[in-house]
Amino acid sequence: MPESVVEFEKVVFCYDRAEVLHEISFKLKRGEIVGLLGPNGAGKTTTIKIIAGILAPTAGRISVTGLPLPERAIDVKQRIGYVPESAILFESLTGQEFLELSGRLHDVDEDTLQARIHAILETFGLFSERISRLDSYSKGMRQKVLIAAALLHNPELILLDEPLSGLDVNAAIMIKDLIAALAADGKTILYSSHVLDVVEKVCDRVLIIHQGDLIADGSSEGLKASTSQSTLEDVFRTLTDSANVEPGVARIIAALGPGRP
């Protein structure tokens, strides 16, 4: 049995008096790619931020790479790579400078750091732009820099929150292949996305959170079989009570009125 890299046991999280996560429990094993799904506000990003050591749980037990959270949050952050859904970059820095800063904060040896920056930027098609300031980068270019920064220190656990946002088709294909290769190399990847067909193709296992509860945990094929659905999107619609969207669509079309002649 592969070693558990993340252990969530009856985790509760509250914002003020509102309970956002309700005693969620799951494990992530070494070499797994696990999809994290849920409607907006379900608790996906909160879950990721707790694993990343950014938020402390209200109750429950958490360990990441064998280290307890939040007690060992600094040590955990050295072992994870995190691509947030939205991030504010230091726009006065160049791409090269930002990645050097990221690598040095993780104590990556200088020669190793420079070699990794060179290889990743060249592969991502950003090498010629490395001395340009980040405020001149497109959204897709910024996303590539964020992904690069998350990988420079060769983390054991990689947390991806909408990682394909802003990427063109070729870049998205490469990132999906990279995710598979990282998992084959023993990395554990938690992949949160609203693009369900990508999750279905990329992930070994899927977690679905709805209104703060973990309502599904299994392979895409297993979840489709247990719900008698043919796609992960249909599974998601069924389990989150969003199967019938036609009335809402019809209401919007009616509100817009007749089309232009």
Side-chain angles (χ1 to χ4, degrees):
M1 184 75 73
E3 175 189 349
S4 291
V5 175
V6 175
E7 295 186 2
F8 243 52
E9 186 176 328
K10 296 185 177 180
V11 172
V12 174
F13 184 82
C14 299
Y15 280 116
D16 295 326
R17 295 183 180 181
E19 191 171 293
V20 178
L21 298 181
H22 316 309
E23 293 195 349
I24 286 184
S25 298
F26 62 84
K27 294 182 180 180
L28 305 182
K29 299 175 182 176
R30 191 168 304 282
E32 275 192 314
I33 307 172
V34 179
L36 181 62
L37 306 180
N40 289 334
K44 302 185 302 299
T45 296
T46 297
T47 299
I48 289 175
K49 287 183 176 181
I50 291 172
I51 296 173
I54 297 171
L55 297 176
T58 305
R61 188 186 70 84
I62 306 164
S63 71
V64 176
T65 67
L67 302 174
L69 280 175
E71 296 84 357
R72 299 285 298 278
I74 298 298
D75 295 319
V76 165
K77 289 175 183 180
Q78 290 290 334
R79 302 185 182 195
I80 65 172
Y82 176 35
V83 178
E85 182 176 9
S86 59
I88 299 175
L89 300 176
F90 297 107
E91 295 192 342
S92 62
L93 298 180
T94 67
Q96 176 82 22
E97 289 169 340
F98 179 80
L99 292 178
E100 287 175 343
L101 173 63
S102 299
R104 289 166 185 163
L105 287 172
H106 283 96
D107 296 323
V108 180
D109 169 81
E110 192 65 26
D111 290 341
T112 301
L113 175 60
Q114 295 300 332
R116 288 175 179 172
I117 290 174
H118 186 285
I120 294 173
L121 288 182
E122 194 168 74
T123 302
F124 283 178
L126 292 178
F127 190 74
S128 62
E129 305 290 340
R130 70 192 186 282
I131 57 174
S132 298
R133 285 171 38 137
L134 289 171
D135 61 5
S136 70
Y137 281 30
S138 68
K139 179 174 175 56
M141 293 166 68
R142 291 174 182 225
Q143 191 69 7
K144 290 178 183 179
V145 169
L146 286 172
I147 294 169
L151 298 179
L152 282 175
H153 54 295
N154 195 25
E156 299 176 50
L157 172 65
I158 302 168
L159 308 173
L160 304 175
D161 198 350
E162 297 291 354
L164 305 185
S165 177
L167 298 182
D168 60 36
V169 173
N170 288 333
I173 291 171
M174 181 179 65
I175 296 302
K176 287 185 283 186
D177 289 345
L178 176 60
I179 289 170
L182 288 166
D185 194 41
K187 315 297 184 190
T188 301
I189 297 157
L190 184 60
Y191 185 111
S192 178
S193 178
H194 292 294
V195 186
L196 301 191
D197 58 336
V198 174
V199 172
E200 186 168 1
K201 292 174 183 176
V202 169
C203 297
D204 307 310
R205 191 169 129 233
V206 176
L207 307 173
I208 301 179
I209 298 178
H210 183 46
Q211 297 179 349
D213 293 307
L214 183 63
I215 61 171
D217 180 355
S219 67
S220 293
E221 292 304 317
L223 294 177
K224 287 187 287 185
S226 66
T227 56
S228 301
Q229 300 296 331
S230 58
T231 67
L232 184 59
E233 180 176 318
D234 290 335
V235 171
F236 182 84
R237 286 171 178 249
T238 299
L239 294 180
T240 60
D241 300 320
S242 58
N244 188 12
V245 298
E246 287 82 1
V249 173
R251 191 179 305 119
I252 293 172
I253 295 301
L256 292 175
R260 293 183 180 182

